Amino acid sequence: MRLRKRRQCFPSCSSLHRVDEDEVYWRQKKGDEELEWPHSSTHVISQLAQCFTNAMVRSRSWIGGLFNRLSIKHNEKFLDYPLTRIQEQRLQKLQERLQRPFDEACPDHQEALRALWHIAFPNVALKGLISEQWKEMGWQGPNPSTDFRGCGFISMENLLFFGRTYPASFRRLLFKQDGNRAIWEYPFAVAGINVSFMLIQMLDLYSAKPKNLPGFNFLKLLEEDEEAFDVLYCIAFEMMDAQWLAMHASYMEFNEVLQATRTQLQRELSLDDVYRIQDLPAYNLLYL
């Protein structure tokens, strides 16, 4: 089995990450030397999914700490600013969502899992909430509820919103339809949980109010659109996939891809002319 030729160019979005030519050369060289994977690799798949889960668990320290150090001087003016009534109400509602854990015994959460499966595989009957079928969507094991422990029910809501609101984009990423890809790709569902966690940290949503420029500007988007966080999640997921292709990444480089995605999203959320979620340059990725 041979690895297919990988994509050489990045999607047409002027603001997205550009890779240094030397970096591209060495990544291509490394890609040419990658070993082929055997068909019977259940253990390897499990390790691959665990790699992505570890990225989420560690992100509070390595991502948050890095960007706090880099931007501390720029955050001082955001320590005290007034919120509008709508901003305060919508931020509070969003923060309440963050506190809700995933409960596999809750009927509503069970139904959400079934709905997610139906969105992903509408013509395939689900055998059970605990089933080996879930691995086809990119969960670590047969029980997806264990993967939600790191981020809670909001990560489920994000995936459902993505599938219901942008079904073509959702399926394109789920089935890796865009670009020339390697045999093994990032696990869709676990990567989605990582994107949720990254956004929460980047926007400083656990604070009473965000203390950085991207978070401050996000509140303006939230005031214009109550679903701004969910739409931003879909954009971030698309950006992550685009970065993955542009960087010719392998599963061991997922942290690096997530880092690059966060950096680019921070830049877009810091632009002066972004007043609505649709103003973000990467918004158009949802309609490619």
Side-chain angles (χ1 to χ4, degrees):
M1 184 181 298
R2 295 183 177 178
L3 296 179
R4 290 177 291 176
K5 184 178 180 181
R6 291 175 167 182
R7 183 174 180 167
Q8 302 299 317
C9 60
F10 197 63
S12 57
C13 180
S14 60
S15 67
L16 291 179
H17 178 74
R18 296 185 179 181
V19 181
D20 182 81
E21 292 181 358
D22 291 336
E23 182 181 357
V24 170
Y25 169 78
W26 287 109
R27 289 187 183 280
Q28 289 174 336
K29 181 176 178 64
K30 179 183 66 177
D32 293 337
E33 297 172 353
E34 287 182 350
L35 296 178
E36 297 175 355
W37 293 84
H39 289 288
S40 56
S41 305
T42 304
H43 179 64
V44 176
I45 294 174
S46 176
Q47 289 182 323
L48 172 62
Q50 184 63 49
C51 175
F52 287 90
T53 302
N54 291 342
M56 177 182 64
V57 173
R58 294 194 301 265
S59 63
R60 185 186 296 269
S61 59
W62 71 265
I63 294 181
L66 174 62
F67 278 91
N68 284 339
R69 289 193 296 271
L70 290 177
S71 60
I72 187 169
K73 293 183 179 180
H74 300 284
N75 292 345
E76 294 177 355
K77 67 178 181 179
F78 300 108
L79 294 179
D80 186 24
Y81 58 88
L83 297 177
T84 68
R85 181 179 59 85
I86 295 179
Q87 286 176 342
E88 185 174 3
Q89 290 176 346
R90 293 182 175 177
L91 177 60
Q92 180 180 354
K93 184 176 180 180
L94 178 56
Q95 290 174 331
E96 289 173 355
R97 291 173 61 191
L98 302 182
Q99 302 303 319
R100 188 180 184 188
F102 185 90
D103 182 1
E104 62 181 314
C106 175
D108 289 343
H109 294 194
Q110 293 174 356
E111 186 57 34
L113 270 176
R114 294 188 184 96
L116 182 62
W117 177 267
H118 181 72
I119 291 172
F121 305 103
N123 300 318
V124 180
L126 178 64
K127 297 179 181 179
L129 295 180
I130 299 179
S131 169
E132 293 295 322
Q133 289 175 292
W134 289 106
K135 294 181 182 180
E136 296 297 319
M137 195 186 297
W139 300 102
Q140 279 195 90
N143 186 1
S145 64
T146 60
D147 292 326
F148 285 111
R149 292 172 183 169
C151 198
F153 189 66
I154 192 168
S155 54
M156 165 63 85
E157 293 177 320
N158 289 156
L159 284 168
L160 280 173
F161 181 89
F162 192 12
R164 288 167 173 166
T165 310
Y166 306 102
S169 178
F170 178 90
R171 294 180 66 82
R172 186 171 67 247
L173 270 58
L174 171 62
F175 297 113
K176 309 299 188 294
Q177 296 172 345
D178 188 24
N180 295 320
R181 297 178 180 269
I183 297 300
W184 295 110
E185 285 286 326
Y186 61 83
F188 175 82
V190 177
I193 295 179
N194 275 272
V195 172
S196 295
F197 194 85
M198 179 270 289
L199 280 180
I200 293 168
Q201 295 297 307
M202 185 192 75
L203 299 174
D204 196 21
L205 295 180
Y206 283 118
S207 299
K209 56 185 177 182
K211 298 182 179 64
N212 55 46
L213 180 57
F216 173 78
N217 285 338
F218 167 73
L219 293 180
K220 298 178 183 178
L221 308 183
L222 189 62
E223 185 172 19
E224 292 295 322
D225 184 352
E226 190 172 10
E227 296 180 331
F229 180 80
D230 299 277
V231 178
L232 189 62
Y233 168 85
C234 302
I235 295 172
F237 209 147
E238 277 281 9
M239 293 176 72
M240 188 278 294
D241 184 75
Q243 293 283 1
W244 181 273
L245 290 172
M247 297 170 68
H248 309 294
S250 66
Y251 68 91
M252 294 299 293
E253 298 164 311
F254 179 73
N255 288 357
E256 185 180 346
V257 172
L258 198 64
Q259 172 85 63
T261 303
R262 174 171 175 154
T263 299
Q264 184 58 43
L265 196 54
Q266 284 182 311
R267 290 171 181 165
E268 296 203 5
L269 283 169
S270 300
L271 297 174
D272 294 333
D273 57 348
V274 173
Y275 304 100
R276 306 172 305 146
I277 194 74
Q278 294 84 356
D279 294 334
L280 291 172
Y283 178 78
N284 291 329
L285 288 174
L286 293 171
Y287 297 98
L288 290 179

